[in-house]
Amino acid sequence: MAERVAGPEIERLIQLLARLPGLGPRSARRAALHLIRKREEHEKIMVCSACGNVDTVDPCTICADVRRDPGVLVVVETVADLWALERSGAIRARYHVLGGTLSPLDGVGPKDLNLETLPGRVAAEGLREIILAVNATVDGQTTAHYITDLVGHLGVTVTRLAHGVPVGGELDYLDEGTLSAAIRQRTAF
Amino acid sequence: MAERVAGPEIERLIQLLARLPGLGPRSARRAALHLIRKREEHEKIMVCSACGNVDTVDPCTICADVRRDPGVLVVVETVADLWALERSGAIRARYHVLGGTLSPLDGVGPKDLNLETLPGRVAAEGLREIILAVNATVDGQTTAHYITDLVGHLGVTVTRLAHGVPVGGELDYLDEGTLSAAIRQRTAF
């Protein structure tokens, strides 16, 4: 793991789980998240009141990290996605964890997600950019459009992740939508 | 298939192969390419002298298509990649098929690829852009750098495909390099 993404107790839990036979690093992180969600009311695990991350402190280790750019907020669906981005080391910013995506077919509406506090964070934290790091799925994109409507008039730039060829990817195995996006968003070499 | 990417005889071969049990559309295209390569010297199949595509005419159906933008050339590793891009409908340009990638470990050097005619095409066809649509693998990127050195001084813009999240992709399953690229190349929503 490139860097600690949560307090030492959670990291320790992940390390212990990773020693179990059949559990790789990803399974261990998923198992840890599952255990944490199950025991959320107990003991030391708590949900960060600012961003929705799980940690043993509130605000969480990431929200309390003064070395991060306070003007950029990365919106993710789940804590697992937050961890994935932290592992990549791609950005040093703060997060906002939705806890899912809008899904009318499954009866998931705006009230079921951690959306209420998001517009207020724009002014309170002086945000200049919100990065929508939601999955490139239909529900993810529906959610992205909803959030753009929610905060688009507040004077903050809303961006989304680039679509394209994954690193190591071979063109012949990619779907047409990805190839189109990769051509459209091509960059100077 | 979005559109015919080769002459009707090759399309017919692919359709016939796709009827075989166990062969999906992709397998049928791969099988067709294999048969074509094996029989390259026979009958009507020929390699396009301009771009390296396979077809039953020379120049191939794509090179002869006057509706394509003559100022843009897409460099691909194989005919399978050319077909993948044509299926996506992402771009209406012409191609240059390398026939592989540079791979010093496997003894594949510049002389083994269809590279000799590439610099000449820039002036002869008045190219303004070369899109390097090579795989996001080590060999693919090595080849991309070599081609950039080869044509970079000829006054043509060299671009490459965007790296990022494939359509339908979930962040938790992506590698760190892809996530970093998706954040770096993020776009306004």
Side-chain angles (χ1 to χ4, degrees), chain A residues 26 29-30 72 74 76 80-81 84-85 87-91 129 131-137 141 144-145 148 157-189, chain B residues 26 29-30 72 74 76 80-81 84-85 87-91 129 131-137 141 144-145 148 157-189:
Chain A
R26 168 171 288 129
R29 288 191 297 267
R30 291 179 163 259
V72 179
V74 185
V76 293
D81 293 337
L85 285 168
R87 284 197 306 283
S88 80
I91 192 160
E129 180 177 357
I131 304 175
L132 300 175
V134 293
N135 291 336
T137 55
Q141 295 310 300
H145 281 286
T148 305
T157 303
V158 181
T159 57
R160 62 171 163 180
L161 300 183
H163 285 183
V165 181
V167 173
E170 304 196 6
L171 304 196
D172 194 23
Y173 287 92
L174 293 173
D175 64 288
E176 281 106 42
T178 300
L179 283 174
S180 291
I183 287 267
R184 257 196 329 273
Q185 299 181 24
R186 64 187 181 271
T187 54
F189 196 68
Chain B
R26 169 173 288 126
R29 288 191 297 269
R30 289 177 164 262
V72 179
V74 185
V76 293
D81 293 337
L85 285 168
R87 284 198 305 283
S88 80
I91 191 158
E129 180 178 0
I131 303 175
L132 299 175
V134 292
N135 291 337
T137 55
Q141 297 309 301
H145 282 285
T148 305
T157 302
V158 181
T159 58
R160 61 171 165 182
L161 300 183
H163 285 181
V165 182
V167 173
E170 305 196 6
L171 304 195
D172 194 21
Y173 287 93
L174 292 174
D175 65 287
E176 281 106 42
T178 300
L179 283 175
S180 291
I183 287 265
R184 257 196 328 271
Q185 300 181 21
R186 65 188 182 268
T187 54
F189 196 67

Side-chain angles (χ1 to χ4, degrees), chain A residues 143-163:
Chain A
T143 310
H145 281 286
Y146 183 88
I147 294 175
T148 305
D149 287 347
L150 200 65
V151 300
H153 60 287
L154 300 176
V156 66
T157 303
V158 181
T159 57
R160 62 171 163 180
L161 300 183
H163 285 183

Side-chain angles (χ1 to χ4, degrees), chain A:
Chain A
M1 208 168 293
E3 186 174 356
R4 289 213 331 239
V5 299
E9 291 89 349
I10 295 179
E11 290 296 330
R12 177 88 184 124
L13 173 63
I14 296 171
Q15 280 164 17
L16 287 171
L17 286 167
R19 287 196 203 155
L20 294 172
L23 281 188
R26 168 171 288 129
S27 320
R29 288 191 297 267
R30 291 179 163 259
L33 263 186
H34 178 79
L35 289 174
I36 289 166
R37 282 206 202 93
K38 281 274 184 192
R39 300 173 61 107
E40 223 163 61
E41 305 81 15
H42 303 314
E43 305 185 35
K44 294 203 277 179
I45 297 293
M46 50 190 81
V47 173
C48 175
S49 55
C51 77
N53 187 17
V54 290
D55 206 336
T56 50
V57 286
D58 181 15
C60 71
T61 310
I62 290 175
C63 282
D65 182 353
V66 293
R67 296 163 305 172
R68 287 170 187 263
D69 184 343
V72 179
L73 197 69
V74 185
V75 175
V76 293
E77 293 179 17
T78 64
V79 175
D81 293 337
L82 181 158
W83 288 359
L85 285 168
E86 285 292 302
R87 284 197 306 283
S88 80
I91 192 160
R92 302 279 293 161
R94 293 192 174 87
Y95 293 88
H96 192 85
V97 182
L98 298 174
T101 47
L102 295 178
S103 181
L105 287 176
D106 299 322
V108 182
K111 298 276 181 215
D112 302 306
L113 301 181
N114 179 25
L115 277 169
E116 205 175 346
T117 58
L118 185 57
R121 292 189 74 175
V122 176
E125 302 178 22
L127 298 181
R128 59 176 198 283
E129 180 177 357
I130 290 181
I131 304 175
L132 300 175
V134 293
N135 291 336
T137 55
V138 172
D139 285 348
Q141 295 310 300
T142 305
T143 310
H145 281 286
Y146 183 88
I147 294 175
T148 305
D149 287 347
L150 200 65
V151 300
H153 60 287
L154 300 176
V156 66
T157 303
V158 181
T159 57
R160 62 171 163 180
L161 300 183
H163 285 183
V165 181
V167 173
E170 304 196 6
L171 304 196
D172 194 23
Y173 287 92
L174 293 173
D175 64 288
E176 281 106 42
T178 300
L179 283 174
S180 291
I183 287 267
R184 257 196 329 273
Q185 299 181 24
R186 64 187 181 271
T187 54
F189 196 68

